[in-house]
Amino acid sequence: MKKPSLNRLEYFVAIAEAGTITAAAERMRISKAVVSKQLQLLEEELGATLIVRNSRHLNLTETGQSFYEAARASVAQAEEAFEMVRQGRAEPTGNLRITAPLDMGVTYVSPVVAEFRTAYPAVTVDLTLSDTRLDPVESRFDIAYRVGWLSDSANVARKLADFQQIVVSAPELAEQFGRPDHPDELAAFPFVEHRALPNPLTWRFSKATGESTEVQMTAVLRADVTPAIKAMVLEMAGISILPDFFVKKEIESGTLIRLVPDWTLPSGGIYAVYPPTQFRSAATKQFAELFAARLRKSLSL
């Protein structure tokens, strides 16, 4: 059997990440014809179709997606091996793709990205902020940060911290409606709904004594990103339920207050989620460690 050309892995990875053969050719600074030919030869060597393409779009087949994960890890490992020899040290290089929810990304991830880039200028960081949960394998991220609760998947997750959901209000709004003593009274308050949550209007509160109650909120406004919800609450449009770490400064300054503090809602977690691959680049490892340390410091954990 003819030995496969490992160089073709780099062409395939570039096509998969760039999205088109033309973009991959520009990224690698070679002709489109060369890239297209190398893909054709790779598929012939494997005896499998890796990419389905037409004049405008290209998609990985199921086999292509699986092969991409392995090929990407191999190419990244080879690139780092070359850089280690060139530089004489295992300094992170290459591309690092990260996704995080908008609120967490703006407040916590972005500053660490800037710090990391200053420390490791050979790394290019691509940060995507979205409250839509993007799968790290499907969307090709090295790290996906999550806030809340994880669904079962083959991805690898590391819990970084816990957080508490709390009911928050502008002080003036709380005085207008009267500060509630029991969660059931919250149903009478105007509520800002977070559309990205699975059950945004139904909330179960519990107390240390074992007492619990379920409250159905009345939405007057809806949004799908947490910063927008916090802004509306600050402007006295209604109350809402937000992660404690995201309103920490406002609670400390008094611009927001916590309602029914003797009652608790289900707590959640902050996670780093990785694709289920054995190899992680030096950039991924270094950023993950730096972010975990900065998060603990910011949350006073």
Side-chain angles (χ1 to χ4, degrees):
M1 181 181 292
K2 182 180 178 182
K3 187 176 180 180
S5 172
L6 298 181
N7 289 336
R8 292 189 183 118
L9 296 183
E10 185 177 3
Y11 290 93
F12 171 66
V13 169
I15 295 168
E17 293 182 345
T20 66
I21 290 176
T22 300
E26 292 174 353
R27 170 174 159 177
M28 301 183 75
R29 297 181 181 179
I30 55 178
S31 72
K32 178 181 174 182
V34 170
V35 176
S36 182
K37 183 63 176 179
Q38 291 301 313
L39 174 61
Q40 177 189 338
L41 292 174
L42 178 62
E43 290 181 324
E44 289 176 357
E45 286 177 348
L46 294 172
T49 300
L50 301 176
I51 291 175
V52 177
R53 53 200 179 277
N54 57 31
S55 59
R56 292 187 178 182
H57 302 289
L58 140 174
N59 292 295
L60 295 180
T61 63
E62 184 175 349
T63 299
Q65 181 65 52
S66 300
F67 187 70
Y68 164 75
E69 294 301 321
R72 179 173 181 255
S74 298
V75 170
Q77 195 166 18
E79 288 176 348
E80 287 199 358
F82 278 106
E83 287 301 320
M84 286 171 61
V85 173
R86 290 191 188 109
Q87 301 179 18
R89 59 188 186 278
E91 181 173 313
T93 61
N95 299 316
L96 178 61
R97 302 191 72 240
I98 302 169
T99 183
L102 184 58
D103 54 346
M104 181 184 180
V106 170
T107 307
Y108 296 99
V109 181
S110 297
V112 181
V113 166
E115 180 183 354
F116 181 82
R117 182 63 179 75
T118 300
Y120 302 106
V123 179
T124 300
V125 183
D126 183 347
L127 176 61
T128 299
L129 301 183
S130 172
D131 281 356
T132 300
R133 294 199 168 195
L134 302 173
D135 182 81
V137 173
E138 183 180 344
S139 300
R140 300 167 195 161
F141 289 106
D142 299 292
I143 310 175
Y145 288 106
R146 297 278 185 264
V147 176
W149 301 264
L150 297 181
S151 57
D152 292 336
S153 75
N155 295 321
V156 178
R158 176 190 174 195
K159 192 173 189 179
L160 305 179
D162 292 298
F163 71 88
Q164 186 68 44
Q165 298 179 106
I166 61 175
V167 186
V168 292
S169 170
E172 299 85 352
L173 185 72
E175 294 303 323
Q176 177 184 342
F177 281 81
R179 295 204 182 192
D181 296 316
H182 193 278
D184 290 348
E185 299 173 51
L186 296 173
F189 281 70
F191 187 76
V192 183
E193 175 188 342
H194 197 321
R195 287 204 317 267
L197 298 177
N199 295 296
L201 296 178
T202 304
W203 297 89
R204 177 160 290 279
F205 294 80
S206 60
K207 209 172 184 181
T209 59
E211 183 182 356
S212 66
T213 185
E214 187 172 277
V215 181
Q216 185 73 21
M217 303 296 187
T218 303
V220 296
L221 290 170
R222 297 178 178 87
D224 59 357
V225 291
T226 310
I229 293 170
K230 182 170 73 171
M232 287 186 252
V233 174
L234 284 167
E235 292 297 324
M236 299 184 293
I239 64 171
S240 196
I241 295 172
L242 295 171
D244 55 1
F245 68 86
F246 189 56
V247 291
K248 181 181 178 182
K249 292 181 180 179
E250 289 78 10
I251 295 291
E252 291 174 349
S253 67
T255 54
L256 289 178
I257 60 172
R258 180 178 178 179
L259 302 182
V260 291
D262 295 334
W263 294 78
T264 59
L265 290 159
S267 60
I270 300 174
Y271 299 86
V273 180
Y274 307 91
T277 56
Q278 292 183 347
F279 174 77
R280 291 181 196 160
S281 69
T284 299
K285 294 176 183 176
Q286 292 284 4
F287 184 88
E289 291 175 6
L290 178 63
F291 179 77
R294 294 294 180 267
L295 182 68
R296 286 193 296 269
K297 183 177 180 181
S298 297
L299 301 182
S300 301
L301 298 174

